[in-house]
Amino acid sequence: MKVYGASLLKGLMYTLKTFVGTYVEDFKGTKDNYAEHGLRSATEGAVTVQYPESPMPIGSTYERFRVLPMLVYDQKEDGEKDVRCTSCGICAKVCPPQCIWIVQETDENNKPVPNPEEFFIDTSVCMNCGLCSEFCPFDAIKMDHQFALNVTENRQENYLYDLEKLLVPAEYYAELHPKANAAEEEARRLEAEAKAKKAAEKAARLAAKKKAAEEGGEEGGEKEKPAKKAVAAKADDPERAARIAAAKEKAAAAKAKREAEKAAAAGEPAAEGAEAPAESAEKPAKADDPERAARIAAAKEKAAAAKAKREAEKAAAEAAEPVAEPAAEPAEKEQDA
Amino acid sequence: MTDLRVIQGDAEAALEQEVRRHVSITSIDKVLDTLNNWGRRSSIWPMQFGLACCAIEMICTASSRFDIARFGAELFRASPRQADLMIVSGTVTKRMIPMIVRLYNQMPEPKYVISMGACSTGGGPFKEGYNVVSGIDEFIPVDVYITGCPPTPQALLSGLIELQKKIDNQHYKETRWYHPEGSDERTVPMLGPDLVDPRQLDRIKQAASAEKAAEAPELPKLFKAFEVYVPEPEEAPEPEAEGEDKPKKKVVKKKKVEPPQVNPSMQAILDKYPQVSVTVASTLLVPAEDLHNVVRHLKTLKLDYLQNLTSVDFEDCFEVVYNFSASQAVDTEVPGVTLVVRTDKENPTVPSLSAFWPGANFQEREVYDMMGIHFDGHPHLRRILMWEGFEGYPLRKDYLEPYYEAPTKIFPSRWKEGHHTFAEDKNPWGRNVKYPKDWDPDSFPYNDDDPDFASLGAAGTLRNDLLEVNMGPHHPSTHGVFRMKLALDGERVVRLYPMMGYLHRNHEKIGERNSWIMNFPYTDRLDYLTSMSNNHGYALAVEKLAGIAVPERAEYLRVIMTELNRIASHLWAQGFLLNDLGAFFTPMLYAAQERELILDLFEMVSGARIMCNYMRFGGVAYDLPDEFYKPFRHLIYDRLPRMVEELDKFLTTNEIVMERTQGLGVMTAEEAIAYSCSGPVLRASGVAYDARRNHPYSIYDRFDFNVITQPRGDVYSRYLVRLGEMQESLRILQQADKALPQGEIIDKKQWNMRVPAGQAYGCVESPKGQLGYYVVSDGQSNPYRYHVRSGSFINLTALEKMCQGHHVADVVVVLGSLDIVLGEVDR
């Protein structure tokens, strides 16, 4: 004769055990646990993701996470955007649902110029497969991590991303995909080195300078421009815009630091470099979410001001602490948020 | 008061501001709105309604890790009448849309709609298909769209938050449900020769009567004509390339193996039947009139298992293809054969095999549905994936979809002059529909579902006192949009008629237009719980055809990923089986929780939780990141074994599980083989048939693992088989982890390639059953024919057999034990 209900009780006990166990995990410090195992959850049970407040960590471990494609551009010295895409069309040719549309730029003689004139991705068709970025020979098209892609109306227009909407600065990409970016940069560096064997030294210095420019962005006036673009493009996407701005801010801060070092001799505080991006940073975010943008901007201004101050003080003595840290903080916060 | 001083210029405004500061309630409207909206936003009850892949992510959102309950939305209601929110999660097909609109109409106000995923938002990757609606908003209003394929659980939550914001801005005086016009009712579309929107009926009539000049300029489709056909392949070498297709084929063929590969089984048939000939593609061409004799003889050759049945549309004929193998012997002992039967294009007819192999039943219906080939002697030859009355046979090469653009991808319109256009704008109806030339909408019988019921009665089994019950396509226990028509005698099932196609996403038609590599991400979406296995099967089939070798490390990575995926899939199956037994969602939560950890690994390696798109021809896409090993080892050595043990401890001897599942849905070994069952369903009947053993592929021969079988063939046995397979998978994983070599992961990554002409059938043991890919190449960069042999689909053939005589409540359990996934059933 079977005892009915015994395993029911057993099951209930299990649930109870799990319930109590969650508190035990809390006491033990779940976070350490999962960091230790590289999981996004504890050794036992699961950790509930507190989504809007603290989403699942991505970091460099999960950097391959892919949602929509984006186009990477480098900042040229003169502030122009150097769109990496050469409109070779491989992404459009490998795209399984054929959601990429590219118009190749032509010069006055109707000869193709390696630049996209128009670039569309219909994100309501895109299957997030990542083949475009996998086969892009120029590291130009990459996968974004931004998954909150809600719209409430006009989905056809809103989900058709054009060049403006797709372009992101290289810093943003570097922040999302640190490992991949490092590897690619290394590869590009090697390639450049091999190519410029003849004028080895000069070319190497140029590349380094260019890289510095990539990272550093340029003076305030030009800084404003890309940020504005971001306003236009990412108006519906304050988070990403804020992140881009923050990444730039970080780079700009680094640059400011270098400049401060340079300026130390002249005893001139190099605040402008940091000021301008901070200003521009508040714009994209403000578009939709004034509260958050204000917060970010405030944090940034504060950081920039503090930094500039310290910069001026320490520049002569060559500040050891990376002054970019406080400015970078909002960026990281954004990423976690 | 400070404020007042500051803005004394505008005293009135200042006063108002001051009042606002001190008096928080300014009007009764505000109180009501605040309360009302707060109440609504915090208790959104979504409907338990999922269509496709996105539904899996929706379920994950409801499970413990993402916990939609934090937003007051955990109460998934099975009935539309109790739900506030419809999350349209997945591809909306034409066949399903009438049901969705009806469900929407049945929801009481206030009702909200979230369109989850690219498919329901704008057609998604399947937009070009002939059975796909490009956007749910063509028929019902949408409050929030979330694109992404699929949106992650967090993306769904962000959409939910967006909806809450929207609710916050509602004003009770303006909401429609407090107005006399009341509830929002939408027109239910009808299924004619294509999807018919009654709102467009007048226009359709006008267009039908008017000169159809506008529709005439359709692009002519260019086709590689004639495929492999040489009666005497031994003499094949002599004709040199003459510019025509046939000799060219031979030349291409020569490179591989010049005469066709004739294995002993094929030789035995050739010896016995002189009228059977062998083609250059190593298939046996059987005259239609001899088919029955030959297949009867196959059983004496131990070839008792009909793996796959499909058809190919060639220029000069239709070809029906049968893959046979031995269920009791390994490929190396008794190799399988591929039979083909050819029939003319005017009146294609082939003898039916369903008398010998009941498992051919649905597959033949599919061939009939997709290619219009008649099967003589088939007991019930009706359309299966599309509805009766649908115009055209979609897999025929001359069938062009409404959004048809070019014969093959890459579409020329995309690059160099890729000015974007919406496919909708090019269609006269603004949607994914087309109607036959002289179609009369008035006289058309729009009975999209009754013919099947009528025929159920016509078979003589349905008497007046039987109760007819429809389960699905919207039903919480059908694991997707699957529908069963039941004829009940009291509580007992007399007949069961499975109906499918509600998620028919035209995988094969799209697959034949895609270039070879483009199919990888599409295969992810077949059985959306096992994308790794799906990738693997497809890679195998094409590698077989193209003769591509895979580096050692890549083979290991493939095995690791597919076995992890097997565990994830079986976990899901076990959890849902318990769900179907009535232990609603609690056991499921435990299973889903562990599965999440595996998904984390997938995300780390491939970038996506469920749509991994990880494998490539000749290897895999990415190597393991350094962070992979630690959590992976923790899982396979520690956590998952413990968890499987726990499952065993709590469920295997659970008296409710035992009472409900033992002796239920029994299939004997002979029946299971005859019905072409595969996977755990077949092994639970005592047949040790596992593609990993019987058709050795990849490096499975290096691992020590058991093929788990159970003798009794009931639901409980299937549960035990899955449990055992999880343990075996863990064993394989542990061995693979220890032996994992360093090295290359892929030889050469190609974004476009040509595959030599020929045919190949590659199969893997997917967690759901045998997943096979039948591919035919004409030497181009696209598959000429691309067919998916889906375990889920064929296992359903036996569903009626399993359920007959049991209670209606047990039907749910039997279906749960088959562990079907509709993406794979309907493809």
Side-chain angles (χ1 to χ4, degrees), chain A residues 2 5 7 14 36 41-43 45 49 64 66 96 98 102 104 123 127-128 134 151 155 179, chain B residues 65 121 137 145 147 149 409 411 414 416 418 525 597 605 612 616 623 627 630 639 646 655 659 749:
Chain A
K2 273 183 218 151
S7 43
Y14 184 74
E36 190 194 320
S41 8
T43 352
V49 176
R64 288 177 192 168
R66 51 181 147 87
Q98 297 280 288
I102 305 171
Q104 197 170 46
T123 61
M127 66 204 297
N128 307 165
E134 196 179 323
V151 302
R155 53 106 175 152
K179 282 191 285 182
Chain B
R65 190 191 220 174
T121 297
D137 52 4
Y145 301 90
T147 196
C149 188
K409 290 175 183 172
F411 294 149
R414 296 298 192 272
K416 268 191 172 167
R525 286 149 180 86
L597 303 178
V605 177
C612 298
R616 299 284 176 272
D623 207 339
E627 297 92 337
K630 199 171 180 185
R639 183 155 177 171
E646 241 165 33
E655 63 270 16
E659 287 286 310
K749 246 189 201 182

Side-chain angles (χ1 to χ4, degrees), chain B residues 317-329:
Chain B
C317 65
F318 286 115
E319 191 177 87
V320 182
V321 184
Y322 308 85
N323 294 89
F324 286 94
S325 72
S327 66
Q328 317 279 2

Side-chain angles (χ1 to χ4, degrees), chain A:
Chain A
M1 190 61 197
K2 273 183 218 151
V3 186
Y4 284 90
S7 43
L8 192 70
L9 284 176
K10 217 160 87 178
L12 287 173
M13 283 307 291
Y14 184 74
T15 310
L16 186 66
K17 198 183 108 195
T18 315
F19 176 70
V20 175
T22 56
Y23 291 99
V24 175
E25 285 292 323
D26 273 358
F27 281 122
K28 283 202 295 202
T30 315
K31 279 208 168 135
D32 304 338
N33 253 335
Y34 75 80
E36 190 194 320
H37 288 274
L39 300 171
R40 286 157 162 182
S41 8
T43 352
E44 301 302 317
V47 178
T48 300
V49 176
Q50 307 286 319
Y51 164 61
E53 294 84 17
S54 65
M56 279 215 287
I58 295 175
S60 64
T61 310
Y62 295 91
E63 68 169 30
R64 288 177 192 168
F65 175 58
R66 51 181 147 87
V67 188
L68 291 180
M70 57 188 183
L71 287 174
V72 183
Y73 69 84
D74 296 309
Q75 198 81 49
K76 275 197 264 188
E77 295 238 337
D78 56 1
E80 285 292 300
K81 281 184 197 170
D82 182 11
V83 180
R84 288 185 184 175
C85 174
T86 63
S87 72
C88 72
I90 288 182
C91 53
K93 290 173 197 164
V94 78
C95 173
Q98 297 280 288
C99 69
I100 301 179
W101 304 66
I102 305 171
V103 180
Q104 197 170 46
E105 206 174 294
T106 49
D107 60 11
E108 56 274 18
N109 301 328
N110 219 18
K111 275 196 177 153
V113 178
N115 231 356
E117 192 178 309
E118 286 177 57
F119 202 111
F120 297 101
I121 295 184
D122 190 342
T123 61
S124 69
V125 172
C126 173
M127 66 204 297
N128 307 165
C129 67
L131 285 181
C132 49
S133 96
E134 196 179 323
F135 288 98
C136 176
F138 303 100
D139 302 324
I141 189 163
K142 293 290 169 192
M143 301 309 276
D144 200 352
H145 290 176
Q146 180 57 40
F147 55 80
L149 303 160
N150 318 311
V151 302
T152 47
E153 56 204 348
N154 294 342
R155 53 106 175 152
Q156 271 204 337
E157 296 88 84
N158 281 332
Y159 279 146
L160 181 64
Y161 283 28
D162 57 7
L163 197 55
E164 298 285 274
K165 236 176 168 177
L166 288 166
L167 278 179
V168 295
E171 297 92 17
Y172 177 73
Y173 166 63
E175 200 193 315
L176 294 193
H177 300 255
K179 282 191 285 182
N181 185 54
E184 285 159 12
E185 273 190 354
E186 182 64 15
R188 278 201 298 274
R189 194 183 58 80
L190 289 175
E191 199 183 330
E193 262 175 22
K195 262 187 186 173
K197 206 91 206 188
K198 280 176 188 171
E201 254 198 320
K202 200 180 169 190
R205 213 186 311 132
L206 261 172
K209 211 172 171 191
K210 197 190 164 201
K211 217 197 279 174
E214 267 167 34
E215 283 163 20
E218 262 316 311
E219 300 95 57
E222 286 118 1
K223 201 86 232 171
E224 200 88 338
K225 219 167 143 196
K228 256 185 205 156
K229 285 230 158 161
V231 181
K234 271 92 195 179
D236 53 329
D237 193 354
E239 207 179 306
R240 181 166 138 177
R243 276 171 77 174
I244 293 174
K248 277 189 177 185
E249 166 72 8
K250 201 166 150 187
K255 204 199 141 213
K257 186 187 155 199
R258 281 194 301 276
E259 248 157 47
E261 278 161 17
K262 262 193 251 163
E268 176 189 281
E272 313 92 73
E275 204 68 60
E279 242 168 49
S280 62
E282 67 186 312
K283 273 179 195 167
K286 238 179 198 167
D288 255 316
D289 195 347
E291 220 176 275
R292 167 186 243 150
R295 219 172 51 213
I296 296 166
K300 275 183 190 156
E301 254 161 46
K302 211 168 130 192
K307 190 206 60 183
K309 211 172 150 189
R310 249 187 301 163
E311 204 68 66
E313 284 167 10
K314 289 185 187 173
E318 275 225 2
E321 278 312 300
V323 203
E325 209 73 317
E329 213 172 68
E332 268 151 34
K333 257 183 206 160
E334 262 321 288
Q335 192 172 3
D336 293 344

